Amino acid sequence: MADHRPPPPQRFSLRSQAFRGVLYQMLAIGVIALALAWLAHNTLENMRVRGIQSGFGFLGSPAGFDIGESLFPYESSDSYWRAFLVGIVNTLRVAVIGIVATTVLGTLVGIGRFSRNALVRGICYGYVELFRNIPVLLQLLMWYLLFTEMLPPISDAINLGLGIWVSKSGLSIPVPVWQRGQTLALCGAVLGLVAALAWRRYAQLRFEQTGRPLPTFLPGVALVLGIALLGWLVGGAPTAWDVPVKGEVIVDGGAAATPEYVSVLLGLVMYTGTYVAEVVRGGIQSVAHGQGEAASALGLSRGQSMRLIVLPQALRVIIPPLTNQYLNLTKNSSLAVAIGYPDVVAVSNTAINQTGRAVECIAVIMLVYLSTSLGTSALMGWYNKRVAILER
Amino acid sequence: MNATATAAAATAAAADGGDGGPIIRFQKVNKWYGNNFHVLRDIDLDVRRGERIVICGPSGSGKSTLIRCINRLEEHQEGHIVVDGVELTDDVKSVEAIRREVGMVFQQFNLFPHLTVLENLTLAPMWVGKMPKKEAEERAITQLKRVRIAEQAGKYPLQLSGGQQQRVAIARALCLTPKIMLFDEPTSALDPEMIKEVLDTMIELAKGGITMLCVTHEMGFAKAVADRVIFMDQGQIVEQSTPHDFFDNPKSERTRDFLSKILGH
Amino acid sequence: MSTVFQPIVARAAPVATEGIVPWVRRNLFGDVRSAIASVLLLVLAAVYLPQLIDWAIVKAVVQPDAETCQAARGVGACWGGIVEKFRLIIFGRYPFGQQWRPLLATLLMVALLVASCTRPLWSRWLVLLWVVVVGAFFALMGGGIAGLAPVQTDLWGGLPLTILLSTLSLVAAFPLAVLIALGRRSQLPAIRALCTVYVELIRGVPLISVLFMASFMFPLFMPPGVNINVLLRVLVGITLFTAAYTAEVVRGGLQAIPKGQREAAVSLGLGYWQTQRKIVLPQALALVVPGIMNNFISTFKDTSLVTIVSLYELTGSLGLAFNSDGDWRPFKIEGYLFIALIYFAFCFSMSRYSLWIERQLNRSRRR
């Protein structure tokens, strides 16, 4: 007789949980809105009293200050926009190279903690504990002091051989003079990469069909290097190098890295490397011992067991906190302001001192860092969903 | 059977894997953990081809250690172990050869959670047995049918119940067509209602003629299927006999004590 | 098969696997690669370690005499600079004659922290003790009462400032963090959104930008004419920053409490706030003690950043001590090593303690 649908919802009651919920939320939003309005009012009042204009229009006007180092040409007559761009590029210069270096260092140390040799284990443990318990700012300052005070001045620059000069003013390394040959070599390397991936696919198919595995790593490397070499030869095999020459006042030629850059990079890599090492160690430990035993019992060699069973499971555990450490390194690069490396925070600081527009400049910094963080979080969420081990 | 005569025969013959001799032979095997924990004491054991052995005993008696020595998951310090004509030493090649002939089922299943059931089974045949993928998959499906779980081939291990996972683990070990199957307390981690499905699978396997060594507390299984029951205590074999003799006429005081504890309730 | 069972007596292993010699053999010379590594490392140590000890201890200069130090440049470390500048490094610009006050205040605070870490003392009285000691700290440092001469907050510095900033910010951040963690798990969408935005916003930006915000923007936020001193601004900044990270730690603890706890409380008739206060939070907070300790260690290290906004805590006061004095400036590196040692001592012991607490908690939870 009765149809089997659920009964319609009750009439709305003033004493229900739902109504209370709505009430609390409206209250919370109301309070926050009022607080924000009060803050905004005060800010506008203060800026009026001090004669500070608001708005982002100032970004178009000339900056009027120099920046210590930059990847592309910049004059003090360029706009604030350009100045901020230089700052962002400087931050990226540290972040990208820092991330690669700290991954390598951290992974080696993390694996080293499982070494069969007690001395290696001890050194890895010592490194992690020592560099983790000292504030990163202090480490940056110490590296900077080391480079600026321990190294000799330009007139006595040390030659490390192979045309590398090091002194108080930084590091100079020889770079090849970029000609057509190098460009073709680069194209060749890309082609080689494509060929290597194609070889991998072919090898996988052959393995599935016949059961005989084909080597993929060495042929892949050979392809990349071989085709790059071919490109270089086709381009005329240029061998010219721009070697730094020690002069009286400067070391001329080659590519130079300022002591600020080197100390920021070294300090961040050494500090973050400890955290990366702990993440890697935790990931390897998280794979249950029984997995390795089952793999051995099936007859898999240690290398096969590591590659097919342990690492895939360990990576799932390692990747999310690892990207967190990459973000930390990027955020910590903001400390470069303390040793004079012109990253985006340092440029912003100068801009605030010149224009007084604290709100706008800080907003720019926060926008830069927030977009990096949120972008990485989104990427991480996507990755986690894709590799999640399916459970009940 | 005289222990010294057996030992002499073994040292005389080089490779004793033919149809006459035992498929597993332990000769005065001793193992220690650390300096002082003497976990296996003077183990002498011959396992015939096709024989089904159940090993029981109190915890800490060394029974798991004994069977783990057979596929070199544990190393012995004194004595000789010969499996299918190959002596177990540090030589990597001989260990790998033995592991192809010996399958193992663990208490904690140890299935690979990041691979599907089918991939769990085809992994070893492809990478160790150098089998093409199609052939490996056919063999995998055959084994899954044998343990009656073929319909779950596409699922991931953690999506299955404990009993189903253990049956998959048995199928995985069978994919390499081993001559010997080792079971290390296969039902101890299962809920009571799932123990039966795994034991039934093991009984069917036993009827097929494969050599089996099983460490378990399930005495019903021993009575149904075992050719020999071995009782271990404090690292040595105390008593071994047919199930009938073992349960009805235990000879040693310790055996009687143990049986009263596990069969009493 | 013999019918009489002969038990075999246990004997020792024929080849010892425990003891010094086997340990060395296994861990230092286990295989060829290991042996080569050991030899290499031992040779390096034999060459460089004596040189290091020579520089740091044997030939080091301890007298606070700039000329002796200069003469020993490159040969021995100059710890004399630290002896000379000790009070300036540790206490910053605090008036020289009154430095017994920050000393006493710091000792009290450190004693309080140690007391808070010992489990037998966890009770209601501890909260009261905190209030009393923090009050005493401010009274001693700031003065103006009980006959103590008043000292401006911008003269506070050195180690007392480091300890003050880290302790106070965690204490203030903690209730805020609990509220935010509860808010993130709330069923009310607006509350959940607000708390999530706060946490993600703060965690996405570096501490330095929060400090800049506090330093530059806080005065703008107040009605015109109201003056906030630097210490307060920085404290608010660090507190808001720490609260976001602590909230995540607390949220992890809340998530670990099984749903059944809340269901049991509800079926007994307890309301939301009662459930949280009496059932959920006590269990969750016990779980997150190691996490919060890690937070504290991070905050302790992060206080070094306030140097950039002109508050001279330990790192900053070192800069003050050495930069301005031409005689001692070349020996700044020894100064850095000294405060690195102080930070290391504090942070290492705290992290050891945190690991110990974690082991204790795990032991009590395992059935």
Side-chain angles (χ1 to χ4, degrees):
Chain A
M1 174 182 95
D3 60 34
H4 297 280
R5 280 189 311 223
Q10 304 277 34
R11 256 183 351 162
F12 191 72
S13 152
L14 276 177
R15 293 167 58 177
S16 74
Q17 187 81 319
F19 178 73
R20 287 237 202 111
V22 171
L23 196 65
Y24 288 148
Q25 291 179 78
M26 290 190 1
L27 215 69
I29 298 179
V31 167
I32 302 230
L34 270 176
L36 284 175
W38 181 69
L39 288 179
H41 171 80
N42 284 337
T43 312
L44 290 173
E45 265 298 303
N46 277 311
M47 289 172 75
R48 192 180 58 81
V49 166
R50 300 183 197 195
I52 308 172
Q53 273 112 352
S54 64
F56 285 91
F58 78 98
L59 286 173
S61 37
F65 58 88
D66 272 319
I67 298 185
E69 54 183 288
S70 159
L71 208 56
F72 49 84
Y74 166 83
E75 305 288 318
S76 58
S77 53
D78 288 327
S79 66
Y80 277 102
W81 257 129
R82 210 173 158 82
F84 274 109
L85 207 61
V86 171
I88 294 175
V89 168
N90 280 340
T91 301
L92 285 175
R93 274 172 69 201
V94 167
V96 169
I97 309 226
I99 285 176
V100 170
T102 199
T103 309
V104 170
L105 178 65
T107 310
L108 286 175
V109 174
I111 295 180
R113 291 198 63 173
F114 294 104
S115 166
R116 296 186 65 180
N117 184 312
L119 285 177
V120 172
R121 280 203 307 267
I123 290 183
C124 293
Y125 174 74
Y127 159 71
V128 169
E129 289 300 322
L130 186 67
F131 282 83
R132 193 164 57 157
N133 286 312
I134 300 180
V136 60
L137 181 64
L138 189 57
Q139 292 188 37
L140 287 185
L141 290 170
M142 284 172 81
W143 284 113
Y144 188 57
L145 188 69
L146 205 73
F147 281 116
T148 51
E149 307 229 335
M150 301 285 128
L151 290 176
I154 277 274
S155 42
D156 295 321
I158 304 175
N159 189 344
L160 289 178
L162 292 179
I164 303 178
W165 291 91
V166 85
S167 73
K168 257 198 235 288
S169 313
L171 180 76
S172 285
I173 51 174
V175 281
V177 176
W178 201 262
Q179 290 172 345
R180 212 167 63 121
Q182 277 90 355
T183 322
L184 283 177
L186 212 63
C187 299
V190 173
L191 274 173
L193 198 64
V194 173
L197 288 171
W199 171 255
R200 250 192 77 169
R201 278 241 61 198
Y202 171 70
Q204 178 80 357
L205 283 169
R206 269 289 302 269
F207 173 62
E208 289 181 0
Q209 273 176 348
T210 65
R212 250 186 290 278
L214 289 170
T216 50
F217 184 65
L218 285 173
V221 172
L223 276 170
V224 173
L225 289 177
I227 304 187
L229 188 68
L230 207 67
W232 178 70
L233 283 171
V234 168
T239 51
W241 283 79
D242 183 8
V243 182
V245 169
K246 192 183 84 146
E248 275 307 313
V249 182
I250 51 166
V251 173
D252 198 22
T258 58
E260 286 81 16
Y261 179 73
V262 175
S263 25
V264 172
L265 195 62
L266 258 180
L268 287 177
V269 166
M270 297 295 279
Y271 179 73
T272 318
T274 66
Y275 289 93
V276 173
E278 286 297 280
V279 166
V280 168
R281 182 176 76 99
I284 296 180
Q285 270 183 334
S286 74
V287 180
H289 190 55
Q291 294 284 302
E293 288 194 339
S296 299
L298 284 172
L300 292 169
S301 72
R302 272 206 70 176
Q304 285 172 327
S305 154
M306 182 62 60
R307 197 158 45 110
L308 299 169
I309 309 295
V310 177
L311 274 183
Q313 294 185 59
L315 275 176
R316 279 172 173 82
V317 176
I318 289 178
I319 302 260
L322 191 65
T323 43
N324 213 22
Q325 291 311 320
Y326 291 164
L327 282 177
N328 280 347
L329 186 132
T330 314
K331 285 189 283 176
N332 278 336
S333 69
S334 57
L335 295 176
V337 67
I339 59 174
Y341 177 73
D343 75 315
V344 68
V345 170
V347 169
S348 179
N349 199 16
T350 320
I352 295 180
N353 285 331
Q354 291 217 231
T355 65
R357 304 206 187 189
V359 180
E360 289 85 347
C361 291
I362 293 181
V364 170
I365 306 179
M366 294 183 74
L367 199 70
V368 169
Y369 283 106
L370 265 179
S371 45
T372 328
S373 304
L374 293 177
T376 313
S377 293
L379 212 71
M380 204 28 45
W382 170 83
Y383 172 81
N384 269 337
K385 272 216 176 64
R386 239 194 67 155
V387 299
I389 289 178
L390 293 171
E391 303 191 13
R392 286 238 228 193
Chain B
M1 208 165 26
N2 192 323
T4 33
T6 326
T11 35
D16 187 31
D19 295 82
I23 195 170
I24 302 178
R25 162 163 286 167
F26 278 67
Q27 258 182 292
K28 270 225 163 331
V29 173
N30 279 283
K31 180 176 165 59
W32 286 263
Y33 282 135
N35 277 356
N36 290 310
F37 184 22
H38 197 173
V39 62
L40 289 179
R41 308 183 193 183
D42 286 347
I43 302 285
D44 283 303
L45 180 65
D46 279 350
V47 179
R48 294 186 303 274
R49 247 165 244 284
E51 192 175 1
R52 289 130 339 161
I53 297 187
V54 165
I55 306 177
C56 61
S59 58
S61 56
K63 27 187 224 298
S64 287
T65 313
L66 186 108
I67 66 169
R68 283 159 68 96
C69 282
I70 296 177
N71 68 353
R72 202 94 177 149
L73 283 180
E74 302 279 355
E75 296 175 6
H76 58 284
Q77 278 91 31
E78 251 184 36
H80 302 276
I81 303 180
V82 181
V83 176
D84 201 20
V86 180
E87 172 154 9
L88 276 174
T89 57
D90 280 329
D91 177 29
V92 177
K93 282 282 179 270
S94 62
V95 169
E96 282 180 0
I98 286 176
R99 284 180 177 161
R100 281 195 283 272
E101 304 296 327
V102 176
M104 184 151 192
V105 176
F106 297 85
Q107 183 178 354
Q108 302 293 343
F109 330 140
N110 286 340
L111 292 177
F112 306 132
H114 60 296
L115 303 173
T116 63
V117 163
L118 193 67
E119 285 165 354
N120 262 276
L121 267 69
T122 57
L123 183 76
M126 280 168 69
W127 287 92
V128 178
K130 306 212 189 299
M131 215 183 268
K133 184 169 173 183
K134 266 187 85 182
E135 208 182 306
E137 283 184 351
E138 279 166 15
R139 180 183 285 199
I141 298 281
T142 313
Q143 299 303 335
L144 285 175
K145 286 196 178 124
R146 198 168 163 187
V147 300
R148 293 187 221 288
I149 204 167
E151 68 280 4
Q152 310 284 6
K155 291 238 180 95
Y156 284 87
L158 295 177
Q159 293 176 305
L160 307 175
S161 74
Q164 289 171 320
Q165 289 187 52
Q166 193 62 300
R167 285 190 281 149
V168 170
I170 295 176
R172 179 178 66 175
L174 289 173
C175 269
L176 287 167
T177 55
K179 295 196 181 124
I180 303 168
M181 279 289 276
L182 304 175
F183 291 86
D184 188 358
E185 307 214 31
T187 55
S188 297
L190 293 175
D191 293 333
E193 65 267 19
M194 298 192 226
I195 294 183
K196 182 175 187 307
E197 70 188 70
V198 174
L199 286 181
D200 286 343
T201 311
M202 286 164 68
I203 291 176
E204 250 187 83
L205 197 62
K207 295 206 166 90
I210 196 171
T211 312
M212 270 169 80
L213 279 92
C214 186
V215 174
T216 184
H217 297 295
E218 298 290 328
M219 294 300 130
F221 174 75
K223 285 192 191 152
V225 134
D227 296 317
R228 196 183 347 168
V229 179
I230 295 180
F231 173 64
M232 280 184 74
D233 190 14
Q234 292 191 334
Q236 49 181 131
I237 294 178
V238 176
E239 191 168 332
Q240 45 182 321
S241 44
T242 61
H244 172 78
D245 289 335
F246 184 80
F247 290 111
D248 296 333
N249 300 323
K251 292 191 188 68
S252 161
E253 182 65 43
R254 283 204 215 172
T255 321
R256 278 196 285 272
D257 197 33
F258 177 70
L259 283 174
S260 72
K261 285 203 187 100
I262 61 164
L263 295 175
H265 62 278
Chain C
M1 181 69 220
S2 102
T3 51
V4 176
F5 170 61
Q6 307 274 25
I8 300 174
V9 176
R11 48 192 160 96
V15 177
T17 49
E18 286 166 8
I20 281 258
V21 175
W23 186 90
V24 169
R25 200 161 354 117
R26 204 174 38 233
N27 282 300
L28 293 181
F29 302 104
D31 55 16
V32 180
R33 280 199 323 197
S34 182
I36 296 179
S38 297
V39 168
L40 218 68
L41 288 169
L42 287 172
V43 163
L44 279 174
V47 168
Y48 287 112
L49 213 56
Q51 288 184 7
L52 189 68
I53 298 180
D54 207 45
W55 178 83
I57 303 178
V58 175
K59 298 219 174 73
V61 176
V62 186
Q63 307 99 297
D65 179 22
E67 282 177 14
T68 333
C69 273
Q70 196 66 265
R73 207 99 207 260
V75 173
C78 177
W79 305 119
I82 298 172
V83 173
E84 166 81 11
K85 300 273 177 186
F86 185 73
R87 301 253 282 227
L88 189 53
I89 299 173
I90 299 287
F91 295 115
R93 292 182 300 172
Y94 208 85
F96 204 77
Q98 305 279 328
Q99 278 178 357
W100 63 270
R101 286 158 57 183
L103 180 65
L104 184 59
T106 313
L107 287 175
L108 277 176
M109 195 66 107
V110 171
L112 179 67
L113 283 171
V114 172
S116 307
C117 290
T118 45
R119 281 187 86 166
L121 294 176
W122 286 354
S123 75
R124 283 190 188 282
W125 294 109
L126 197 60
V127 182
L128 193 62
L129 197 64
W130 269 89
V131 175
V132 166
V133 172
V134 170
F137 189 97
F138 275 101
L140 278 170
M141 293 284 289
I145 59 170
L148 297 169
V151 177
Q152 294 278 22
T153 56
D154 45 332
L155 291 180
W156 299 7
L159 191 58
L161 189 62
T162 305
I163 296 196
L164 172 70
L165 284 173
S166 20
T167 320
L168 214 60
S169 65
L170 193 67
V171 165
F174 190 70
L176 189 60
V178 170
L179 286 174
I180 296 175
L182 288 173
R184 274 195 85 162
R185 291 172 54 80
S186 158
Q187 309 286 23
L188 309 173
I191 310 261
R192 196 168 57 232
L194 280 170
C195 294
T196 310
V197 163
Y198 175 79
V199 171
E200 293 303 320
L201 206 75
I202 298 276
R203 274 163 41 115
V205 295
L207 176 57
I208 197 95
S209 64
V210 175
L211 285 179
F212 275 0
M213 251 180 63
S215 190
F216 292 125
M217 284 166 56
F218 201 176
L220 291 177
F221 286 159
M222 293 292 112
V226 172
N227 240 330
I228 323 276
N229 70 34
V230 186
L231 182 63
L232 187 63
R233 285 185 240 166
V234 163
L235 210 54
V236 168
I238 301 188
T239 304
L240 290 176
F241 188 77
T242 315
Y245 285 84
T246 314
E248 285 298 278
V249 174
V250 173
R251 188 167 76 105
L254 289 172
Q255 268 178 332
I257 307 293
K259 208 163 62 137
Q261 296 285 306
R262 276 180 214 95
E263 292 179 345
V266 163
S267 63
L268 285 170
L270 294 174
Y272 176 78
W273 289 108
Q274 282 175 317
T275 315
Q276 300 302 327
R277 244 184 46 225
K278 296 210 176 302
I279 312 291
V280 176
L281 279 178
Q283 295 185 56
L285 294 179
L287 281 178
V288 301
V289 167
I292 296 201
M293 278 233 66
N294 284 340
N295 245 4
F296 184 71
I297 298 174
S298 298
T299 312
F300 191 81
K301 290 187 287 180
D302 286 341
T303 55
S304 52
L305 266 72
V306 304
T307 315
I308 302 183
V309 286
S310 312
L311 262 187
Y312 296 102
E313 54 73 70
L314 198 58
T315 317
S317 60
L318 182 94
L320 267 187
F322 280 85
N323 284 341
S324 45
D325 194 342
D327 286 340
W328 294 104
R329 200 157 185 287
F331 309 106
K332 202 162 158 190
I333 191 81
E334 285 89 342
Y336 276 147
L337 286 173
F338 175 61
I339 56 174
L341 190 67
I342 298 182
Y343 277 114
F344 181 79
F346 272 94
C347 294
F348 186 67
S349 27
M350 286 194 282
S351 74
R352 286 286 107 186
Y353 176 75
S354 159
L355 278 176
W356 181 78
I357 278 264
E358 198 167 349
R359 265 201 298 270
Q360 294 286 73
L361 286 173
N362 280 342
R363 207 173 297 160
S364 65
R365 272 195 302 152
R366 216 179 304 145
R367 281 184 274 135

